């Protein structure tokens, strides 16, 4: 996609990742959580940049043959440009090439943008966790994508 690059998340991205996380996530992860993810051998995190500015990130945990998408965010000024889709496609490609057969994630039931993006990539709704999010008790939709390999 013109103008956007995807690369592995590094320690040097951390300040920009934290800024983006605070803008995008109603319950932002702490910096120590991201730091732990960078040294977690079961975790893969990517960032998207535009003219060297970090504009998005996404990651997953490898659990046996399942890729559990943990987090994704795109800066509001760069939304609807295909960055979220690009990051998810790269996540799924990475999972596929490392022998994962499926992917799963949880998403707020009211998050139409994310649910629509995931459905476009082939994820289907498979369950609902009532009152899952501690702060506001919003339900979580559980989605799965099978047949990666
Ligand atoms: C969800 C999010 C990552 C999507 O990123 P994005 O870069 O805007 O997504 P894309 O441009 O790749 O959109 C791909 C498709 O998803 C759907 N979509 C994206 N945003 C949408 C919205 N606001 N409303 C409806 N559909 C939307 C569309 O079908 C879109 O395709 P189109 O633009 O051709 O119509 C972004 O909105 C975001 O960072 N939200 C805050 C963090 C978040 O909710 N993360 C998910 C946690 S589970």
């Amino acid at each position: 996609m013109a103008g956007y690059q995807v690369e592995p998340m590094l320690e040097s991205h951390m300040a920009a990742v934290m800024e983006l996380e605070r803008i995008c996530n109603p319950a932002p992860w702490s910096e120590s959580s991201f730091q732990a993810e960078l040294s977690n051998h079961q975790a893969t995190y990517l960032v998207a940049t535009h003219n060297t500015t970090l504009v998005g990130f996404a990651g997953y945990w490898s659990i046996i043959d399942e890729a559990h998408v943990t987090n994704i965010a795109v800066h509001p000024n760069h939304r609807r440009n295909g960055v979220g889709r690009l990051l998810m496609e790269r996540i799924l490609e990475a999972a596929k090439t490392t022998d994962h057969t499926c992917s799963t994630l949880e998403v707020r039931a009211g998050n139409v943008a994310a649910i629509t993006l995931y459905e476009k990539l082939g994820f289907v709704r498979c369950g609902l966790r009532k009152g899952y999010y501690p702060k506001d008790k919003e339900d979580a939709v559980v989605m799965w994508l099978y047949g990666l390999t």
Side-chain angles (χ1 to χ4, degrees), residues 72-74 79-85 111 113 116-118 120:
I72 177 169
V74 174
R79 289 184 190 162
R80 299 309 287 266
N81 288 345
V83 180
R85 187 181 182 114
N111 192 343
T116 308
L117 166 63
Y118 302 143
K120 275 195 158 174

Side-chain angles (χ1 to χ4, degrees), residues 73-92:
V74 174
H75 192 283
N77 294 345
H78 291 267
R79 289 184 190 162
R80 299 309 287 266
N81 288 345
V83 180
R85 187 181 182 114
L86 179 67
L87 281 164
M88 282 299 298
E89 285 173 348
R90 293 295 175 84
I91 288 279
L92 295 173

Side-chain angles (χ1 to χ4, degrees), residues 111-127:
N111 192 343
V112 175
I115 291 173
T116 308
L117 166 63
Y118 302 143
E119 284 178 338
K120 275 195 158 174
L121 291 163
F123 283 84
V124 292
R125 298 169 194 242
C126 293

Side-chain angles (χ1 to χ4, degrees), residues 57-71:
F57 65 80
Y60 73 95
W61 288 337
S62 172
I63 300 178
I64 321 286
D65 65 335
E66 302 171 356
H68 288 236
V69 179
T70 54
N71 203 343

Side-chain angles (χ1 to χ4, degrees), residues 101-139:
T101 63
C102 54
S103 180
T104 186
L105 53 85
E106 284 137 10
V107 53
R108 285 177 177 271
N111 192 343
V112 175
I115 291 173
T116 308
L117 166 63
Y118 302 143
E119 284 178 338
K120 275 195 158 174
L121 291 163
F123 283 84
V124 292
R125 298 169 194 242
C126 293
L128 194 71
R129 297 203 172 109
K130 298 290 277 181
Y132 179 77
Y133 293 96
K135 241 186 185 173
D136 55 13
K137 304 287 175 221
E138 187 170 353
D139 297 343

Side-chain angles (χ1 to χ4, degrees), residues 18-33:
M18 285 309 300
E19 196 183 330
L20 190 54
E21 173 72 355
R22 281 191 279 268
I23 293 171
C24 296
N25 191 338
W29 291 11
S30 64
E31 185 166 342
S32 58
S33 298

